[in-house]
Amino acid sequence: MVNPYPIPITTIPLERQAPQIVPAATIQEWARLTGNPRAQGQDVAGITVPSILVDPSGLRDEQRVRGRAREFRYRSGTLTLYLRLRIFINRGLSPCEQRIWTTHEMDHVRDYEQLMGTLNLRLQSDSFMRAFFLDRQWFPVNDRGLMMDSIRETCAGIFRQLTQDAVTGRDTDAEYERVRSQIRETCHGRSRRPSLRPSARPSG
């Protein structure tokens, strides 16, 4: 049977943190930093900001001298990816509204945690990752830092696309209306209709 995960990658979600209650301007700033088109909205409820830390410190290489050049290639070890999720909720909302929007944000948290397996699988088929880990191509020793940066950028790029797709699938008009309806029913009509939730794109 073919191993679907020949590249040794470990994905670790960091401990979930409690939502941070912040001014609307802070949420808007995070939306702007993550490239969200709703960053200019004046009425925002919350945002979940996903990011990964790519840790290549567990990788080991071997070296050779070829002519006058010293080269290296991957020998062994595991690449570790840490998932970090931060939730920000608008402090201008009532406690009831904050609870309901936090529940919505926790759905995003679960989406991001579940896609880490997909990220691993996508990295297994990436041409650069396969050249480095499986084909074990030789590179100049002086380029080692550049190669580690390329690994980080490859992981971050695929992660960014996956999280954008997850946000699109979660933050539908129907989902917003469901949350608004729940607020109207649960919070006794005190909702200020925080209709613009600037769902995050990741920081890599």
Side-chain angles (χ1 to χ4, degrees):
M1 183 176 180
V2 177
N3 178 13
Y5 300 98
I7 300 174
I9 300 174
T10 298
T11 59
I12 302 176
L14 298 177
E15 183 177 355
R16 291 180 179 179
Q17 299 179 352
Q20 301 179 48
I21 309 302
V22 299
T26 300
I27 300 173
Q28 291 169 335
E29 179 65 9
W30 273 113
R32 185 188 67 80
L33 291 173
T34 54
N36 192 281
R38 291 174 176 165
Q40 300 304 316
Q42 297 300 309
D43 199 15
V44 293
I47 188 169
T48 299
V49 179
S51 59
I52 56 171
L53 170 65
V54 181
D55 180 11
S57 63
L59 303 182
R60 302 291 177 262
D61 55 50
E62 60 184 3
Q63 298 186 12
R64 73 178 183 183
V65 176
R66 190 171 187 179
R68 296 183 178 181
R70 184 176 295 275
E71 299 177 324
F72 85 100
R73 70 177 180 181
Y74 168 76
R75 177 173 59 85
S76 63
T78 300
L79 181 67
T80 303
L81 310 180
Y82 295 96
L83 172 66
R84 182 187 186 192
L85 299 168
R86 288 168 287 180
I87 300 175
F88 301 95
I89 300 294
N90 187 345
R91 74 179 182 191
L93 303 178
S94 70
C96 178
E97 292 170 309
Q98 288 176 1
R99 287 194 298 271
I100 291 173
W101 280 107
T102 296
T103 298
H104 170 82
E105 296 304 326
M106 290 305 299
D107 288 337
H108 282 284
V109 167
R110 284 185 284 272
D111 289 343
Y112 295 140
E113 290 176 343
Q114 291 174 5
L115 65 77
M116 292 301 282
T118 305
L119 172 62
N120 193 336
L121 192 59
R122 286 278 298 275
L123 289 171
Q124 302 293 324
S125 60
D126 180 82
S127 59
F128 168 74
M129 298 290 283
R130 294 184 71 89
F132 185 88
F133 287 95
L134 301 183
D135 299 339
R136 300 176 64 211
Q137 291 185 8
W138 291 96
F139 301 95
V141 166
N142 291 340
D143 289 348
R144 192 179 192 284
L146 178 63
M147 300 308 297
M148 295 303 104
D149 288 343
S150 295
I151 289 174
R152 292 186 182 94
E153 291 168 4
T154 299
C155 294
I158 295 176
F159 177 74
R160 186 177 301 112
Q161 183 60 58
L162 290 174
T163 53
Q164 289 173 359
D165 292 344
V167 166
T168 300
R170 174 66 60 184
D171 283 344
T172 62
D173 291 341
E175 170 64 5
Y176 286 141
E177 182 54 36
R178 182 194 68 78
V179 174
R180 295 189 196 109
S181 296
Q182 185 178 3
I183 288 174
R184 288 193 294 269
E185 295 172 3
T186 306
C187 304
H188 309 292
R190 292 195 292 271
S191 170
R192 284 184 289 279
R193 292 177 59 82
S195 58
L196 297 181
R197 178 206 172 272
S199 303
R201 295 180 181 177
S203 54

